[in-house]
Amino acid sequence: MLIDHPLLGLRDAAEFVYLGDAALLNRPDASSADALDSFHDYLHLRDNVAGEHRELWYHEQGDRSWLVITRNTLTHAITAVELARDVAMNLREGANS
Amino acid sequence: MADLSLEPESALGGYTQNFGDTHLREVTGLDIVSIAVSSGARDALSTLLQEKIGLPWPATGTIERAGDEAALLGLQADQCFRVSASQQQNPVTELACLVGDAAYLTDQSDSWVVLELDGASSVSALERICPIDLSDNEFGALNVARTSMEHISVIIERPDTHRFRLYSPRSSAHSFLHAVTTSLHNL
């Protein structure tokens, strides 16, 4: 399987490490009133998606970047690859606006 | 007290060998410094590097070169390696005077073993163990990439069409040499 890295182009999937659901980027606010429940869900609950899934991959044997990859879990087709840094910064800007 | 004089040894003792039309050798005498951009200082660092050492910040995957032994290897968005001929002094101290607080610098000179593969069969030997597409239009001269070969971490640099430099951790230098020579024997 090849992954079309946004900076480096097509790279072998063997260079990457899979982490899991990209929802891990949405860390709950530890100071909120429902922080205990939020962190329970954040740590332990995952959707088991049959279809398009956004997930975190780490380019360990490459440029050490984190990526958000949109992959179809039924076909393994990859439809989008983004730098996790860009995704996280967009999330932060959205939260602040 | 005994009068001792110590000489540093390279990881492979200066290995050099011909394989038909292709030559494999260990490159020694290099200063290798990791340059990581300080937060928010990317533009300032780029300007300083251009002014002080005459090279721009390298785009990820490319090499900026001045002469044969001075180069910046663009390894990731906010980090590059400066590779230059050894000056017999601390390379970090010298570079820190030039770039100040715009970068975090780490001397990695003795952390890597560097092999150079030069000759017409270089690509044929590497394509058996390297997952990067080494065709001229995908990875031509002045390209660089981090990858792995035989499960060993490697930085592959292509200074010109028939020449490759391979940087691998010194601690597994002999295993890496074995991987490369095995591929050359199998041509």
Side-chain angles (χ1 to χ4, degrees), chain A residues 7-8 11-12 14-15 59-64 85, chain B residues 60-61 75-78 131-132 145-148 153:
Chain A
L7 299 176
L8 308 173
R11 299 294 288 260
D12 196 302
E15 294 181 352
H59 197 190
E60 185 175 36
Q61 298 291 2
D63 72 341
R64 270 61 164 174
R85 178 168 67 175
Chain B
T60 305
L75 299 177
Q76 58 195 66
D78 290 329
I132 304 281
R146 268 187 206 264
T147 184
S148 65
S153 179

mmCIF file of all heavy atoms in Angstrom, chain A residues 7-8 11-12 14-15 59-64 85, chain B residues 60-61 75-78 131-132 145-148 153:
data_model
loop_
_atom_site.group_PDB
_atom_site.id
_atom_site.type_symbol
_atom_site.label_atom_id
_atom_site.label_comp_id
_atom_site.label_asym_id
_atom_site.label_seq_id
_atom_site.Cartn_x
_atom_site.Cartn_y
_atom_site.Cartn_z
ATOM 1 N N LEU A 7 3.850 16.212 1.711
ATOM 2 C CA LEU A 7 5.138 16.856 1.431
ATOM 3 C C LEU A 7 6.055 15.983 0.588
ATOM 4 O O LEU A 7 6.889 16.487 -0.162
ATOM 5 C CB LEU A 7 5.864 17.190 2.745
ATOM 6 C CG LEU A 7 5.167 18.154 3.695
ATOM 7 C CD1 LEU A 7 5.969 18.284 4.981
ATOM 8 C CD2 LEU A 7 4.980 19.512 3.047
ATOM 9 N N LEU A 8 5.948 14.668 0.703
ATOM 10 C CA LEU A 8 6.962 13.772 0.150
ATOM 11 C C LEU A 8 6.483 12.940 -1.029
ATOM 12 O O LEU A 8 7.280 12.258 -1.661
ATOM 13 C CB LEU A 8 7.466 12.830 1.252
ATOM 14 C CG LEU A 8 7.939 13.513 2.540
ATOM 15 C CD1 LEU A 8 8.247 12.476 3.607
ATOM 16 C CD2 LEU A 8 9.162 14.362 2.270
ATOM 17 N N ARG A 11 4.702 7.168 -0.604
ATOM 18 C CA ARG A 11 5.665 6.458 0.238
ATOM 19 C C ARG A 11 5.045 5.136 0.689
ATOM 20 O O ARG A 11 3.836 5.029 0.902
ATOM 21 C CB ARG A 11 6.038 7.312 1.470
ATOM 22 C CG ARG A 11 6.682 8.645 1.102
ATOM 23 C CD ARG A 11 8.038 8.462 0.436
ATOM 24 N NE ARG A 11 9.021 8.041 1.385
ATOM 25 C CZ ARG A 11 9.912 8.871 1.953
ATOM 26 N NH1 ARG A 11 9.930 10.144 1.643
ATOM 27 N NH2 ARG A 11 10.786 8.407 2.812
ATOM 28 N N ASP A 12 5.912 4.141 0.873
ATOM 29 C CA ASP A 12 5.477 2.804 1.247
ATOM 30 C C ASP A 12 4.833 2.813 2.638
ATOM 31 O O ASP A 12 5.365 3.426 3.569
ATOM 32 C CB ASP A 12 6.696 1.874 1.241
ATOM 33 C CG ASP A 12 6.293 0.402 1.233
ATOM 34 O OD1 ASP A 12 5.575 -0.021 2.159
ATOM 35 O OD2 ASP A 12 6.707 -0.289 0.309
ATOM 36 N N ALA A 14 4.894 0.685 4.792
ATOM 37 C CA ALA A 14 5.776 0.073 5.796
ATOM 38 C C ALA A 14 6.566 1.119 6.571
ATOM 39 O O ALA A 14 7.079 0.831 7.649
ATOM 40 C CB ALA A 14 6.731 -0.903 5.118
ATOM 41 N N GLU A 15 6.666 2.347 6.011
ATOM 42 C CA GLU A 15 7.404 3.395 6.714
ATOM 43 C C GLU A 15 6.554 4.036 7.821
ATOM 44 O O GLU A 15 7.059 4.824 8.609
ATOM 45 C CB GLU A 15 7.817 4.499 5.723
ATOM 46 C CG GLU A 15 8.825 4.056 4.681
ATOM 47 C CD GLU A 15 9.217 5.183 3.736
ATOM 48 O OE1 GLU A 15 8.598 6.268 3.798
ATOM 49 O OE2 GLU A 15 10.140 4.981 2.937
ATOM 50 N N HIS A 59 4.701 8.947 10.457
ATOM 51 C CA HIS A 59 5.718 8.588 9.461
ATOM 52 C C HIS A 59 7.048 8.342 10.178
ATOM 53 O O HIS A 59 7.994 9.129 10.047
ATOM 54 C CB HIS A 59 5.842 9.705 8.418
ATOM 55 C CG HIS A 59 6.537 9.262 7.168
ATOM 56 N ND1 HIS A 59 6.930 10.133 6.185
ATOM 57 C CD2 HIS A 59 6.901 8.026 6.739
ATOM 58 C CE1 HIS A 59 7.513 9.458 5.216
ATOM 59 N NE2 HIS A 59 7.514 8.185 5.529
ATOM 60 N N GLU A 60 7.114 7.230 10.901
ATOM 61 C CA GLU A 60 8.259 6.960 11.764
ATOM 62 C C GLU A 60 9.554 6.769 10.973
ATOM 63 O O GLU A 60 10.594 7.297 11.334
ATOM 64 C CB GLU A 60 7.989 5.714 12.611
ATOM 65 C CG GLU A 60 9.079 5.439 13.625
ATOM 66 C CD GLU A 60 8.731 4.280 14.527
ATOM 67 O OE1 GLU A 60 8.104 3.326 14.054
ATOM 68 O OE2 GLU A 60 9.088 4.326 15.711
ATOM 69 N N GLN A 61 9.495 6.020 9.874
ATOM 70 C CA GLN A 61 10.700 5.812 9.057
ATOM 71 C C GLN A 61 10.717 6.815 7.908
ATOM 72 O O GLN A 61 10.981 6.471 6.753
ATOM 73 C CB GLN A 61 10.744 4.381 8.514
ATOM 74 C CG GLN A 61 10.818 3.322 9.585
ATOM 75 C CD GLN A 61 12.151 3.316 10.305
ATOM 76 O OE1 GLN A 61 13.017 4.131 10.036
ATOM 77 N NE2 GLN A 61 12.319 2.399 11.237
ATOM 78 N N GLY A 62 10.395 8.062 8.230
ATOM 79 C CA GLY A 62 10.372 9.104 7.215
ATOM 80 C C GLY A 62 10.615 10.446 7.861
ATOM 81 O O GLY A 62 11.578 10.583 8.611
ATOM 82 N N ASP A 63 9.728 11.395 7.630
ATOM 83 C CA ASP A 63 9.986 12.740 8.143
ATOM 84 C C ASP A 63 9.388 12.969 9.537
ATOM 85 O O ASP A 63 9.318 14.105 9.989
ATOM 86 C CB ASP A 63 9.496 13.808 7.160
ATOM 87 C CG ASP A 63 7.981 13.891 7.114
ATOM 88 O OD1 ASP A 63 7.308 12.923 7.535
ATOM 89 O OD2 ASP A 63 7.473 14.926 6.664
ATOM 90 N N ARG A 64 8.973 11.893 10.200
ATOM 91 C CA ARG A 64 8.457 11.985 11.579
ATOM 92 C C ARG A 64 7.198 12.851 11.675
ATOM 93 O O ARG A 64 6.903 13.421 12.728
ATOM 94 C CB ARG A 64 9.511 12.559 12.530
ATOM 95 C CG ARG A 64 10.423 11.549 13.184
ATOM 96 C CD ARG A 64 11.242 10.754 12.237
ATOM 97 N NE ARG A 64 12.346 10.101 12.941
ATOM 98 C CZ ARG A 64 13.182 9.244 12.404
ATOM 99 N NH1 ARG A 64 13.045 8.908 11.148
ATOM 100 N NH2 ARG A 64 14.152 8.702 13.104
ATOM 101 N N ARG A 85 -0.752 18.368 11.823
ATOM 102 C CA ARG A 85 -0.485 19.712 12.351
ATOM 103 C C ARG A 85 -1.469 20.723 11.770
ATOM 104 O O ARG A 85 -2.033 21.546 12.500
ATOM 105 C CB ARG A 85 0.954 20.113 12.027
ATOM 106 C CG ARG A 85 1.305 21.512 12.490
ATOM 107 C CD ARG A 85 2.774 21.760 12.424
ATOM 108 N NE ARG A 85 3.300 21.779 11.067
ATOM 109 C CZ ARG A 85 4.564 22.082 10.767
ATOM 110 N NH1 ARG A 85 5.418 22.336 11.735
ATOM 111 N NH2 ARG A 85 4.984 22.097 9.528
ATOM 112 N N THR B 60 11.664 20.284 2.207
ATOM 113 C CA THR B 60 11.698 18.883 2.638
ATOM 114 C C THR B 60 11.930 17.973 1.431
ATOM 115 O O THR B 60 11.239 18.084 0.425
ATOM 116 C CB THR B 60 10.369 18.503 3.324
ATOM 117 O OG1 THR B 60 10.131 19.420 4.387
ATOM 118 C CG2 THR B 60 10.427 17.090 3.883
ATOM 119 N N GLY B 61 12.931 17.117 1.530
ATOM 120 C CA GLY B 61 13.223 16.175 0.450
ATOM 121 C C GLY B 61 14.265 16.674 -0.538
ATOM 122 O O GLY B 61 14.589 15.975 -1.487
ATOM 123 N N LEU B 75 15.182 17.376 5.772
ATOM 124 C CA LEU B 75 14.660 16.088 6.214
ATOM 125 C C LEU B 75 13.202 16.148 6.627
ATOM 126 O O LEU B 75 12.472 15.176 6.484
ATOM 127 C CB LEU B 75 15.497 15.559 7.382
ATOM 128 C CG LEU B 75 16.974 15.331 7.044
ATOM 129 C CD1 LEU B 75 17.737 14.892 8.271
ATOM 130 C CD2 LEU B 75 17.104 14.295 5.944
ATOM 131 N N GLN B 76 12.764 17.252 7.186
ATOM 132 C CA GLN B 76 11.361 17.410 7.545
ATOM 133 C C GLN B 76 11.045 18.895 7.596
ATOM 134 O O GLN B 76 11.936 19.728 7.395
ATOM 135 C CB GLN B 76 11.031 16.687 8.849
ATOM 136 C CG GLN B 76 11.839 17.126 10.043
ATOM 137 C CD GLN B 76 11.717 16.133 11.199
ATOM 138 O OE1 GLN B 76 12.155 15.001 11.100
ATOM 139 N NE2 GLN B 76 11.103 16.568 12.287
ATOM 140 N N ALA B 77 9.781 19.225 7.845
ATOM 141 C CA ALA B 77 9.341 20.611 7.684
ATOM 142 C C ALA B 77 10.167 21.588 8.523
ATOM 143 O O ALA B 77 10.520 22.669 8.057
ATOM 144 C CB ALA B 77 7.863 20.713 8.030
ATOM 145 N N ASP B 78 10.488 21.234 9.748
ATOM 146 C CA ASP B 78 11.174 22.162 10.638
ATOM 147 C C ASP B 78 12.537 21.643 11.083
ATOM 148 O O ASP B 78 13.038 22.040 12.134
ATOM 149 C CB ASP B 78 10.304 22.449 11.875
ATOM 150 C CG ASP B 78 9.099 23.286 11.503
ATOM 151 O OD1 ASP B 78 9.203 24.089 10.568
ATOM 152 O OD2 ASP B 78 8.046 23.119 12.147
ATOM 153 N N PRO B 131 12.819 1.270 -0.259
ATOM 154 C CA PRO B 131 11.419 1.412 -0.688
ATOM 155 C C PRO B 131 11.116 2.710 -1.463
ATOM 156 O O PRO B 131 10.021 2.872 -1.973
ATOM 157 C CB PRO B 131 10.634 1.386 0.631
ATOM 158 C CG PRO B 131 11.593 1.828 1.657
ATOM 159 C CD PRO B 131 12.965 1.416 1.188
ATOM 160 N N ILE B 132 12.103 3.609 -1.570
ATOM 161 C CA ILE B 132 11.895 4.849 -2.319
ATOM 162 C C ILE B 132 12.014 4.558 -3.819
ATOM 163 O O ILE B 132 12.870 3.774 -4.232
ATOM 164 C CB ILE B 132 12.984 5.895 -1.942
ATOM 165 C CG1 ILE B 132 13.001 6.131 -0.439
ATOM 166 C CG2 ILE B 132 12.800 7.193 -2.716
ATOM 167 C CD1 ILE B 132 11.942 7.029 0.073
ATOM 168 N N ALA B 145 15.971 11.687 1.384
ATOM 169 C CA ALA B 145 14.784 11.143 2.054
ATOM 170 C C ALA B 145 15.217 10.300 3.240
ATOM 171 O O ALA B 145 16.278 9.684 3.232
ATOM 172 C CB ALA B 145 13.965 10.287 1.084
ATOM 173 N N ARG B 146 14.376 10.306 4.253
ATOM 174 C CA ARG B 146 14.522 9.331 5.328
ATOM 175 C C ARG B 146 13.674 8.120 4.972
ATOM 176 O O ARG B 146 12.544 8.262 4.526
ATOM 177 C CB ARG B 146 13.958 9.892 6.638
ATOM 178 C CG ARG B 146 14.908 10.605 7.529
ATOM 179 C CD ARG B 146 14.159 10.911 8.805
ATOM 180 N NE ARG B 146 14.685 12.064 9.495
ATOM 181 C CZ ARG B 146 15.557 11.988 10.485
ATOM 182 N NH1 ARG B 146 16.024 10.837 10.885
ATOM 183 N NH2 ARG B 146 15.970 13.087 11.091
ATOM 184 N N THR B 147 14.200 6.940 5.194
ATOM 185 C CA THR B 147 13.424 5.728 4.953
ATOM 186 C C THR B 147 14.045 4.601 5.771
ATOM 187 O O THR B 147 14.793 4.866 6.723
ATOM 188 C CB THR B 147 13.402 5.396 3.441
ATOM 189 O OG1 THR B 147 12.556 4.272 3.230
ATOM 190 C CG2 THR B 147 14.800 5.109 2.902
ATOM 191 N N SER B 148 13.732 3.360 5.444
ATOM 192 C CA SER B 148 14.385 2.237 6.117
ATOM 193 C C SER B 148 14.775 1.206 5.068
ATOM 194 O O SER B 148 14.120 1.071 4.037
ATOM 195 C CB SER B 148 13.465 1.618 7.174
ATOM 196 O OG SER B 148 12.340 1.051 6.560
ATOM 197 N N SER B 153 16.938 2.128 9.979
ATOM 198 C CA SER B 153 16.674 3.513 9.588
ATOM 199 C C SER B 153 17.818 4.056 8.725
ATOM 200 O O SER B 153 18.985 3.854 9.044
ATOM 201 C CB SER B 153 16.531 4.355 10.866
ATOM 202 O OG SER B 153 16.300 5.691 10.535
#
